[in-house]
Amino acid sequence: MPTSAPIWRIAPALATLCLAALTAAHAADGPSSSHLYPIGGGYETALEGYVQDVIRHAQGPRIDIVLLPAAFADDPVLPEDPGILVDDVRALQTACEAVLARSARAKASFPQGCHVGSAPLYVATDARDPAIVASLSSGTLDGVFFTGGDQVYAMRILAGTPAESALSALARRGVVIGGTSAGAAIQSRFMNAGYTDAGDATTSLQKASIDLWLGKTPLQRGLNLGSNQVVIDEHVYSRGRLGRMLNASAQTADVLGQGGLLGLGLDYDTGAVINHDRWLRAVSGVSSAVVVDFRTGGARHRWLGAQSALSARKVLTHLLPPSQAIGFDLALRTPLLAGQRLWWRDDGAELLKPTTANLRATVMLSGDAVNDLGGPVLHEFVRLAAQRNKGQSPGGIVIVAAAYPSVADAQAAASTYAQALADAGWAGGMPRVVVLGQGVLDARQFEGVSGVLFLGGDQSLLPAALADKNLRAVVAKATQVANVVMFERAMTAAAGDYFNAIGEGDSEDDAIAAFKAATAVVKPGLGLLRGAALEPRLQTDRRWGRLYGIAAHRKQGGVYGISESSAIVLSGGQARVLGPNPVVVLDARRAMFTSGDNGALAAFNVLLDVYEPGETLGKGW
């Protein structure tokens, strides 16, 4: 894995002064809690990481943990079935026993073993019940753990109650406060309350798609004991929520200024320690944590259009997998690797500007128009194809289908697009369809065409398709003789200098696996966008991890994630975004990459830019 980026450090004396000043300021405000342990979802491997931190701070002959089901609520005034706690209590008990069993020292320190119980904190009245509040004030407690569910209901039950006050007192005493999924989200004072009715992974960069609790009213917040440094999000990789994290951090910057709060995302079955609201360390579980920072890299952002969509430049991001060598200073906003601070140093490099090959045609790099065949991308393709060229009537359209599992699959896809082109207004006759592997592909057949649409089925099949010299010849010919050439689905990935040749899986497991260091299979592409890689279907298939996987192998060029229903249009030496959804660009020129103990990718100081429709890639404002 490349690690050639330097580890930048400021002078030791200056570092000491900065550290002392920030520590003093933080102490004056008071840390939100001594020890937090948010988990991104589930009750599996990461529970042991939580237990290890509980043991680290526990006292007495037995480990005592209480599990709280406030987030289970479907309504803050309607009781829940206590039986749903049984499995979660058992999972936490099993994790505690497993950790003790592996350590003779821990077994000797806690001869009475583990005890995991629960408190019936299901509705708002429970949070004021003297008996429940008394149980949360016990001097024997070593850990508190919140279940998953719904963070909004959890805070409607807890905010401003005696139970919350008791929890804050436990936190000040050093009791480890953990939680999974919604139980993680409530551990940040400024709380991401989830998507609104208008929100999902495909709209997550639109301002109104998320419900962000910024304390505008006294009770619209996360726990009082929660972090004041970060906004926590969960299930980040598996559910494609990196866009939601960016949205939340940008909104805190609007309210607080100075870059706002850090975004801290944790994937499923992945947790981390936050000590004294200062240090993030001891990531555990199957995946990694991700941090987004709108301050350190000099980020700028704005909200565009009727949907107030986020446009941003130079957002700094970091991936932090499990490793004793990896941590993060939340106050100084710097990752740590083997005791070294990986300081960000802005060397004045400009935004990445796409460089194209010598193209006569307008080239459209589509993020996947199949679910929006009546949308702006195909309409623009038809409009450009229908233009007269030097007084000549427009020629025809040819659809070339490649990298499909079978000829039948390729023909079916081509037929769908042929009909969509007619529906979009193409009146020049039925497009001619050519399938790679069926008949002879001859570049001479493309003389006089007005538009060529290259369809691709599966990126893992691209290496074989691109090995066909006739396909390469046809691409070269088309970009010189046609009015417009459009690349779609897997063929969009092929248009870059290189691409990620992994399969087309769109499951949550696939999204998580893309953040593993060994997942990316980087292969050479057609080189139409020089020095760069392209990844279509960014949001709908949750392909954020693919961007980082490619960047780890090819640091000098940009990695362009093109959202579904949108496209990059290359014309006149510029690249602009067309369609309803954004294009995201990773800039890893000053980044460093390695891997964690679980094989997950570690990435430090990777810049991320978001371009909305109508914007020109490589330009700020």
Side-chain angles (χ1 to χ4, degrees):
M1 187 67 61
T3 57
S4 57
I7 301 174
W8 299 104
R9 296 190 295 270
I10 61 175
L14 179 58
T16 301
L17 287 173
C18 291
L19 183 61
L22 283 165
T23 302
H26 190 70
D29 292 335
S32 305
S33 170
S34 293
H35 311 292
L36 298 176
Y37 203 95
I39 295 174
Y43 301 85
E44 299 163 19
T45 310
L47 280 184
E48 294 191 9
Y50 165 74
V51 170
Q52 287 169 355
D53 205 50
V54 171
I55 291 174
R56 190 175 293 113
H57 302 287
Q59 298 178 355
R62 187 177 75 176
I63 304 297
D64 278 292
I65 301 172
V66 62
L67 192 144
L68 300 182
F72 270 160
D74 289 321
D75 188 293
V77 298
L78 296 177
E80 288 287 328
D81 176 8
I84 60 179
L85 270 181
V86 173
D87 288 344
D88 297 344
V89 169
R90 184 182 297 116
L92 193 49
Q93 178 76 31
T94 300
C96 189
E97 292 171 353
V99 172
L100 282 184
R102 290 197 297 268
S103 171
R105 181 176 178 180
K107 282 190 290 187
S109 298
F110 305 101
Q112 294 182 21
C114 302
H115 177 262
V116 178
S118 63
L121 196 61
Y122 292 104
V123 294
T125 54
D126 293 338
R128 302 180 185 277
D129 185 310
I132 293 174
V133 173
S135 72
L136 296 178
S137 304
S138 170
T140 65
L141 277 179
D142 302 301
V144 174
F145 194 86
F146 286 93
T147 64
D150 188 319
Q151 57 262 45
V152 170
Y153 286 128
M155 290 315 303
R156 287 179 179 171
I157 290 169
L158 289 166
T161 66
E164 185 185 28
S165 297
L167 290 167
S168 295
L170 290 176
R172 289 192 294 272
R173 183 163 68 77
V175 171
V176 181
I177 310 296
T180 185
S181 191
I186 64 175
Q187 294 178 55
S188 52
R189 190 69 164 65
F190 282 51
M191 188 181 83
N192 191 332
Y195 288 119
T196 63
D197 290 342
D200 58 31
T202 66
T203 62
S204 61
L205 286 161
Q206 297 173 10
K207 196 172 195 177
S209 73
I210 65 171
D211 184 12
L212 189 61
W213 284 19
L214 300 172
K216 293 178 182 178
T217 64
L219 302 183
Q220 195 183 52
R221 53 170 175 79
L223 289 168
N224 268 330
L225 60 84
S227 173
N228 289 302
Q229 299 275 17
V230 299
V231 177
I232 295 172
D233 209 340
E234 71 282 356
H235 300 277
V236 170
Y237 302 162
S238 60
R239 298 182 184 175
R241 290 180 175 172
L242 188 52
R244 189 167 94 168
M245 286 181 60
L246 293 165
N247 187 342
S249 286
Q251 290 194 48
T252 68
D254 293 339
V255 173
L256 302 174
Q258 309 237 339
L261 301 180
L262 294 167
L264 171 61
L266 295 155
D267 194 35
Y268 184 85
D269 197 16
T270 305
V273 174
I274 301 175
N275 276 343
H276 306 294
D277 208 14
R278 174 64 189 272
W279 306 104
L280 179 73
R281 63 173 184 81
V283 177
S284 71
V286 301
S287 193
S288 66
V290 55
V291 173
V292 301
D293 178 2
F294 274 73
R295 180 190 303 167
T296 306
R300 299 181 67 190
H301 74 278
R302 60 181 179 174
W303 306 94
L304 298 179
Q307 302 302 324
S308 293
L310 178 66
S311 171
R313 308 290 184 272
K314 300 182 72 175
V315 180
L316 206 57
T317 69
H318 315 275
L319 305 182
L320 310 171
S323 170
Q324 289 299 314
I326 294 174
F328 198 90
D329 184 334
L330 299 174
L332 293 182
R333 298 191 171 210
T334 55
L336 300 111
L337 180 63
Q340 302 249 19
R341 292 183 180 275
L342 307 185
W343 296 101
W344 168 255
R345 178 174 173 179
D346 191 344
D347 58 10
E350 294 183 348
L351 293 169
L352 279 167
K353 292 181 172 60
T355 302
T356 63
N358 182 24
L359 307 172
R360 177 197 166 278
T362 296
V363 171
M364 302 177 65
L365 305 169
S366 172
D368 187 4
V370 73
N371 291 320
D372 190 21
L373 292 174
V377 173
L378 283 189
H379 275 90
E380 179 68 359
F381 176 78
V382 167
R383 186 188 72 80
L384 292 170
Q387 288 181 343
R388 292 178 176 271
N389 182 21
K390 295 181 180 180
Q392 300 295 317
S393 296
I397 288 177
V398 180
I399 298 175
V400 179
Y404 282 86
S406 70
V407 169
D409 290 330
Q411 289 174 330
S415 296
T416 297
Y417 281 85
Q419 182 59 54
L421 291 174
D423 294 342
W426 175 249
M430 197 65 178
R432 180 159 51 93
V433 173
V434 180
V435 174
L436 186 66
Q438 184 183 46
V440 177
L441 191 60
D442 189 342
R444 292 173 295 183
Q445 298 173 342
F446 288 76
E447 290 287 356
V449 299
S450 288
V452 181
L453 173 57
F454 289 98
L455 297 179
D458 187 324
Q459 287 176 215
S460 66
L461 302 178
L462 281 177
L466 298 186
D468 189 317
K469 63 180 182 180
N470 291 326
L471 177 61
R472 288 181 170 271
V474 164
V475 171
K477 183 75 169 182
T479 59
Q480 297 304 313
V481 302
N483 289 348
V484 58
V485 177
M486 176 173 157
F487 294 84
E488 172 72 324
R489 295 179 66 86
M491 283 300 290
T492 292
D497 250 0
Y498 42 93
F499 64 92
N500 200 344
I502 59 178
E504 296 299 301
D506 59 0
S507 70
E508 291 191 358
D509 287 343
D510 293 319
I512 295 171
F515 283 90
K516 295 288 186 181
T519 298
V521 181
V522 178
K523 298 291 185 181
L526 294 165
L528 301 184
L529 201 63
R530 290 178 172 166
L534 301 159
E535 192 65 56
R537 307 208 298 282
L538 172 66
Q539 295 185 118
T540 190
D541 283 359
R542 305 177 295 277
R543 289 188 169 189
W544 297 87
R546 292 183 179 220
L547 306 186
Y548 286 91
I550 298 171
H553 288 264
R554 296 288 189 275
K555 292 174 52 177
Q556 294 309 308
V559 185
Y560 296 79
I562 310 172
S563 297
E564 57 289 343
S565 304
S566 290
I568 297 172
V569 180
L570 307 176
S571 180
Q574 291 190 326
R576 62 182 175 88
V577 181
L578 171 71
N581 297 317
V583 168
V584 171
V585 183
L586 284 196
D587 177 356
R589 288 175 293 178
R590 285 149 287 186
M592 179 179 180
F593 295 89
T594 182
S595 58
D597 297 339
N598 62 355
L601 184 65
F604 310 105
N605 295 327
V606 181
L607 288 177
L608 184 150
D609 303 321
V610 181
Y611 294 89
E612 291 294 341
E615 293 193 297
T616 299
L617 299 181
K619 285 191 175 182
W621 52 82

